Amino acid sequence: MQTLIFRTAAPLLTGLMLLFSVFVLLRGHNEPGGGFTGGLIAASAFAILGIAFGVPAVRRALYFHPMAISGFGLFIAALAGLPSLDLGMPFLTGLWAAPSLFGMTVDLSTVMVFDVGVYLVVVGSITSIALALEDREHD
């Protein structure tokens, strides 16, 4: 679909969807959402960009190869389970901390680290599949 309206609206829509995907990721362990849902929204944003401008534009926008993003996300998700093993608890047991930075209390958790890893795995893998399908369609 190469209409002028779609090509004009696609970057704005992509930006809004990426922002919304981060919102869904961050609210995920308190309300519906999380890494998987946020990752699907972000991958859909890149798919829209690919339909409007083609696969090379999406590859430039991502900067890293989608499977590298997915692999890094898997590494981050696995890394989230190590602190619980260090404390003698089962792997991936959720741990929370509330350190004080510059007079503000910051809530941190291994659950959030795991969610970020899942987000990156979903973005990388689904975007890789979408780009492969889009490439094959134009061959």
Side-chain angles (χ1 to χ4, degrees):
M1 182 187 294
Q2 298 294 326
T3 65
L4 179 63
I5 295 171
F6 184 61
R7 288 178 61 101
T8 304
L12 176 66
L13 186 60
T14 300
L16 287 173
M17 287 177 72
L18 288 174
L19 187 65
F20 182 66
S21 76
V22 171
F23 170 74
V24 170
L25 166 69
L26 294 177
R27 76 173 208 156
H29 59 278
N30 294 329
E31 295 177 24
F36 187 79
T37 307
L40 287 177
I41 294 168
S44 299
F46 287 121
I48 288 173
L49 194 65
I51 293 168
F53 295 103
V55 173
V58 177
R59 292 198 190 278
R60 282 190 307 272
L62 282 174
Y63 189 73
F64 294 107
H65 191 278
M67 290 312 291
I69 294 170
S70 187
F72 183 68
L74 187 59
F75 174 73
I76 294 295
L79 201 64
L82 295 181
S84 60
L85 285 178
D86 191 42
L87 295 174
M89 294 182 222
F91 186 66
L92 287 176
T93 299
L95 301 173
W96 288 263
S100 180
L101 272 98
F102 306 113
M104 293 177 51
T105 302
V106 179
D107 294 324
L108 300 175
S109 70
T110 58
V111 176
M112 191 65 212
V113 175
F114 180 77
D115 266 350
V116 169
V118 170
Y119 177 87
L120 292 174
V121 167
V122 172
V123 168
S125 58
I126 300 298
T127 302
S128 181
I129 292 168
L131 292 179
L133 290 174
E134 185 71 19
D135 259 348
R136 188 171 292 202
E137 183 179 301
H138 290 292
D139 284 343

